[in-house]
Amino acid sequence: MSVRVRRVYEPPEPDDGVRVLVDRLWPRGLAKDMARVDEWPKGLTPSTELRRWYHLDERPYEELRGRYEAELAAPEAAELLNHVRELAAKGQVTLLTAAREPATSHAEVLARLLDD
């Protein structure tokens, strides 16, 4: 299984495989044709409440991880997570996020869950 995280603002690379946007909101200032997004499973993204909570006063990443994993246990999110896991079993999957620090974002939580 091969999953990686990249910023959606970076130019697409030939080895990206299936490009999956994992943000609930479309990235500011980015034209859809330039992003080359293959899938955008909004039910897999953090809830609006969680997203706002995390960006308020720079909350701890570990707490984000726990809260987001709890959201991913919901039936719709779990089904979408399995779908992306199946894509990764077939080849490269690149999770795309607009987060400034992808290593401490929800996209990294997803990547870890997919690699398990």
Side-chain angles (χ1 to χ4, degrees):
M1 190 173 306
S2 186
V3 178
R4 69 177 177 175
V5 176
R6 295 186 65 217
R7 290 200 73 219
V8 70
Y9 297 109
E10 296 172 1
E13 294 182 357
D15 62 344
D16 280 347
V18 178
R19 293 170 54 88
V20 180
L21 180 62
V22 294
D23 290 346
R24 187 164 296 264
L25 304 174
W26 187 262
R28 288 184 184 174
L30 184 64
K32 291 189 179 187
D33 60 332
M34 297 299 290
R36 288 199 29 232
V37 170
D38 298 309
E39 298 202 17
W40 187 15
K42 291 183 186 178
L44 189 62
T45 66
S47 66
T48 300
E49 295 79 18
L50 180 58
R51 182 177 49 82
R52 287 179 179 163
W53 171 86
Y54 184 57
H55 294 293
L56 181 69
D57 299 328
E58 299 183 26
R59 306 290 182 146
Y61 173 72
E62 292 303 317
E63 194 169 342
L64 166 72
R65 190 172 86 186
R67 289 180 180 213
Y68 186 39
E69 286 175 356
E71 287 188 358
L72 291 172
E76 179 189 2
E79 185 177 318
L80 290 168
L81 186 63
N82 284 334
H83 170 69
V84 176
R85 191 174 278 125
E86 289 170 3
L87 292 174
K90 295 175 186 175
Q92 179 69 45
V93 169
T94 300
L95 304 178
L96 302 170
T97 182
R100 288 188 184 112
E101 299 293 333
T104 56
S105 74
H106 66 285
E108 188 63 31
V109 175
L110 272 177
R112 288 181 185 175
L113 287 174
L114 292 167
D115 279 339
D116 287 346

